[in-house]
Amino acid sequence: MSELVKRNASELVELLQSGEVTSVELTQAFLDRIEKLNPLLNSFLHVNTKEALATAAEVDRKRAAGEKLPKLAGLPIAVKDNLTTTDAPTTAGSKILEGWIPQYDATVVKLLREEMMPILGKTNLDEFAMGSSTEFSAYGPSRNPWDTDRIPGGSGGGSSSAVAGFLAPLAIGSDTGGSIRFPAAVTGTVGVKPTYGAVSRYGLIALASSLDQIGPVARNVLDAALLSDVITGYDKHDSTSLPESLGSMVEAAKSGSLKGVRVGVIKELSGEGFQPGVKALFNESLELMVKAGAEIVEVSCPSFEYAIAAYYLILPAEASSNLAKFDSVRFGMRVTPEGNPTIERVMAATREAGFGPEVKRRIILGTYALSSGYYDAYYGSAQKVRTLIQRDFAAAFEKADVLVSPTAPTTAFKFGEKLEDPLAMYLNDIATIPANLAGTPGISIPNGLASEDGLPSGIQLLAPAREDKRLYAIGAALEALQEGVWGKRMIDFAPEVKAGA
Ligand code: GLN
């Protein structure tokens, strides 16, 4: 393997800026790796070879001419396939959008283009980002580079496997209930869900609009910060976009310290149901933080118990409405039944053929929850729980600067293990969902290899809304402590992925 692809994004930026490596060389190195490993990992649904190399060549030409370039110019990146791109198909992992090429770029994609980052391609996901394993992608699952018989997390398993398998130095994800943070935890990478509204959702194919947030996928906290500083900011095309600046995450990541930090351990997310090895690693990290001057406080968030139930009413309700537009008329697929079909029968046949089982399950659930007779009992109650969860957070942040928990109850599971049991699949997100319901930011950072199976686990840090900087500062400080103990980055423990294995 070219050692270049293993370097952190921050190091690659320096190599590009100093002229030690050209963007074409770097982009080609990742494209070579993709060519070799994508048949096995299925991280990318579409590879943008020509366009990526064209951007790279333009960066090299401008650099050679001494022109001023954006900071990350020439650094390749992968984009989750639920963001619209004018130069590549956008499927959202669904058959219903097969072959659709959008007429406009998502704001985040536009920002990446302005930064002159070559876009390597579009990464795999569970259909419309519904799932935790990529097993619900209509284009087959992605594989976890640590063990290719296991899931890379979901829904953003394409982005996490690409970054963990060194197919891309950075990637974009979207997180509605954990789809950036859960994949990060099970692949030994870093994933961030920013404060709701911090990153524009314009051009993101909506799953649940009040929960969705776009964020960075990276190999370490500083790299995530570099990407965050590119994609964060006000956008008039997104009515929920935050007008104020949240500051520089790179500066935060470089100035982090744990001295005097009050770290709140969420009682409800550290007890039952967590794999013993995952819990043991979590406790070790708490000890490390204490040694570095942090104070551990226990906080209780009693309403978190109802987070999954509330989420699985609010999400399907919003999704059933968001997905109504896939009607065979405006986008992608159209199935015309035999005979003399009415428009209703064409729509029904298209949606029957175009949507997979999980999407159908959620449309039915959501439509039911919103039906007039049940609206108050289900959707109304779920919204009340949402308020209670926000209050739990507010009370906890009186006592603590950040809250912590394991990101996920277990390490990566095997393909098929949870496919027949939707509730078991939903439980993966027990620790990540509360932040989506409250609109607050969260980061997952690698937290060592579990003793039972030698697979990566993650630790999640949560901060109050708009305090994303705190996550980068404290996350980077914890990461430095861990790497001090391990002697290297966690990703360097990953076994070499063998093509054709
Ligand atoms: N696994 C969660 C779900 O299936 C999270 C999805 C997401 O964040 N996009 O809804």
Side-chain angles (χ1 to χ4, degrees), residues 183-201:
V186 297
T187 58
T189 53
V190 171
V192 189
K193 178 202 118 38
T195 294
Y196 183 75
V199 178
S200 168
R201 290 181 294 108

Side-chain angles (χ1 to χ4, degrees), residues 307-321:
I308 290 199
Y311 173 88
Y312 278 99
L313 287 167
I314 293 168
L315 179 140
E318 293 188 20
S320 68
S321 155

Side-chain angles (χ1 to χ4, degrees), residues 129-132 155 175-179 207 311-312 315 362 429:
M130 298 182 192
S132 299
S155 65
D175 190 311
T176 305
S179 283
L207 169 53
Y311 173 88
Y312 278 99
L315 179 140
R362 294 197 195 189
D429 298 320

Side-chain angles (χ1 to χ4, degrees), residues 289-317:
M289 290 194 266
V290 169
K291 277 197 204 135
E295 181 198 343
I296 304 293
V297 290
E298 192 185 74
V299 298
S300 176
C301 296
S303 302
F304 281 20
E305 190 186 337
Y306 309 108
I308 290 199
Y311 173 88
Y312 278 99
L313 287 167
I314 293 168
L315 179 140

Side-chain angles (χ1 to χ4, degrees), residues 312-376:
Y312 278 99
L313 287 167
I314 293 168
L315 179 140
E318 293 188 20
S320 68
S321 155
N322 277 325
L323 297 179
K325 63 180 166 286
F326 301 110
D327 58 2
S328 79
V329 178
R330 285 170 280 194
F331 312 91
M333 176 188 226
R334 176 174 307 166
V335 177
T336 311
E338 300 274 296
N340 188 16
T342 57
I343 179 72
E344 284 80 9
R345 283 187 57 222
V346 173
M347 285 183 187
T350 304
R351 288 166 70 85
E352 165 60 25
F355 289 141
E358 183 64 19
V359 173
K360 285 178 184 156
R361 177 161 33 236
R362 294 197 195 189
I363 290 175
I364 292 168
L365 259 172
T367 312
Y368 184 79
L370 289 177
S371 58
S372 65
Y374 294 104
Y375 187 93
D376 287 340

Side-chain angles (χ1 to χ4, degrees), residues 217-246:
V217 178
R219 284 187 216 124
N220 69 8
V221 176
L222 179 61
D223 287 4
L226 284 170
L227 181 53
S228 174
D229 284 354
V230 172
I231 61 174
T232 307
Y234 174 72
D235 178 17
K236 67 174 190 308
H237 295 304
D238 175 353
S239 62
T240 60
S241 183
L242 286 178
E244 71 267 35
S245 161
L246 300 183

